[in-house]
Amino acid sequence: MDSLKPSFPDLKSRIIPVLVLDDVTTGLKMCELLCQNGLPVAEFTFRTPEAAELITEAVERFPEMLIGAGTVLNLTDLERALNAGAKFGVAPGFNPQVVQTAIARNFPFAPGVCTPSDLEQAAGLGCRVFKFFPAEAVGGIPFLQAIIAPYRHLGVQFVPTGGLTPENAKEYLKIPEVISIGGTWLGKDIPDWEKVARAIRQAVEAVEEVQE
Ligand code: 3PG
C-alpha cells in the first residue's frame, strides 16, 4: 500500500511555518504576510482551542494557501482537522488509529517518527511521508540519513521538524528525501510584523538557493 505518498499535497514551498496561535486575527494576519512574501503554506497546531476556527477561517479566506493541521494527536483532533478543511495533517508521533483513519478518509497525513521501529510500523500501514521529529534533539542530519538508508527503496519522504533554524535549514533541504522542513521560527517574532516578513523572505531565499 502506498496510499499517502501520491495524495500528499504538492508543497508550494519546502518550508512549513509551524504556528502555535491562540488568536484568529493574528493567524489570519500571518497568512496574509505569508502570501505576500511568497510562502503560501502554514501549519496551525491543535495546541490551542482556537486552532480549529483559525484553520476554518484561513482555508476560506486564503484558498491559494496550503493550510494544514498540526499536533493531531487523536481521532478527535483528526475529525477537527477534517471539519475545518485542513489540506494536510501532521503529528509529533505515530498513532496507528489516526494513520488508519486518515488513510480511510483520504486525508494526506504525515505521522511523526524518530526511530526505525516507528517508521516501519507507519510504513506498514501505507505511510510514505513522515514528520521526522524532534529532528535536532535526536541527532539531526546524520541520524536522519542513517534512518533513511534501509528504507530509501520504499520511496520514503520526510518533513524534519524540531530545532530547525535559518542556519541549519539549507543542509536539511539538500537531502533528496526531505520534501519540506517545518519550524516555529517563522512565527516567533509575532506581532513584530516587519521582522516576521523579513524572516519569511529569508526562508524563501534559502529555498531558492538550495534549488539553484
Ligand atoms: C513542532 O511542533 O513541529 C515542533 O515543536 C517545532 O519545533 P521548533 O519549535 O523547534 O521549530
Side-chain angles (χ1 to χ4, degrees):
M1 201 190 342
D2 196 5
S3 53
L4 284 193
K5 189 183 164 195
S7 65
F8 208 78
D10 223 2
L11 293 162
K12 292 186 187 113
S13 158
R14 296 188 65 212
I15 297 185
I16 303 176
V18 177
L19 300 163
V20 187
L21 296 174
D22 57 9
D23 173 54
V24 174
T25 310
T26 304
L28 296 177
K29 173 75 185 165
M30 185 64 182
C31 288
E32 196 182 309
L33 232 64
L34 286 164
C35 289
Q36 284 169 354
N37 291 282
L39 196 60
V41 55
E43 171 193 325
F44 293 111
T45 62
F46 282 136
R47 293 178 218 173
T48 64
E50 293 79 9
E53 188 189 342
L54 180 45
I55 294 170
T56 307
E57 291 281 323
V59 167
E60 200 181 304
R61 294 194 201 190
F62 298 92
E64 71 276 33
M65 281 189 84
L66 188 60
I67 302 285
T71 322
V72 178
L73 301 183
N74 48 49
L75 291 180
T76 306
D77 290 341
L78 181 62
E79 208 53 49
R80 290 162 76 206
L82 288 162
N83 289 340
K87 294 174 186 164
F88 69 94
V90 298
F94 165 55
N95 178 325
Q97 260 196 325
V98 171
V99 167
Q100 278 166 323
T101 309
I103 291 174
R105 303 280 293 268
N106 206 22
F107 181 57
F109 187 77
V113 300
C114 78
T115 69
S117 302
D118 301 336
L119 193 151
E120 270 177 38
Q121 289 178 63
L125 294 180
C127 293
R128 288 297 179 270
V129 180
F130 310 90
K131 171 165 164 157
F132 172 56
F133 177 82
E136 280 291 291
V138 297
I141 289 173
F143 190 99
L144 175 58
Q145 280 172 328
I147 281 204
I148 290 171
Y151 304 107
R152 182 174 283 118
H153 64 287
L154 297 180
V156 291
Q157 294 181 307
F158 295 86
V159 182
T161 312
L164 278 279
T165 64
E167 287 70 40
N168 61 19
K170 279 198 266 186
E171 291 311 306
Y172 277 94
L173 289 169
K174 285 179 192 164
I175 300 171
E177 287 79 11
V178 169
I179 51 168
S180 186
I181 60 171
T184 56
W185 87 86
L186 286 160
K188 83 173 170 39
D189 291 314
I190 291 174
D192 183 340
W193 298 113
E194 259 180 51
K195 240 179 165 175
V196 175
R198 217 166 26 243
I200 298 170
R201 283 195 296 272
Q202 276 165 3
V204 171
E205 278 163 24
V207 172
E208 284 167 359
E209 279 167 36
V210 173
Q211 277 163 352
E212 266 167 17

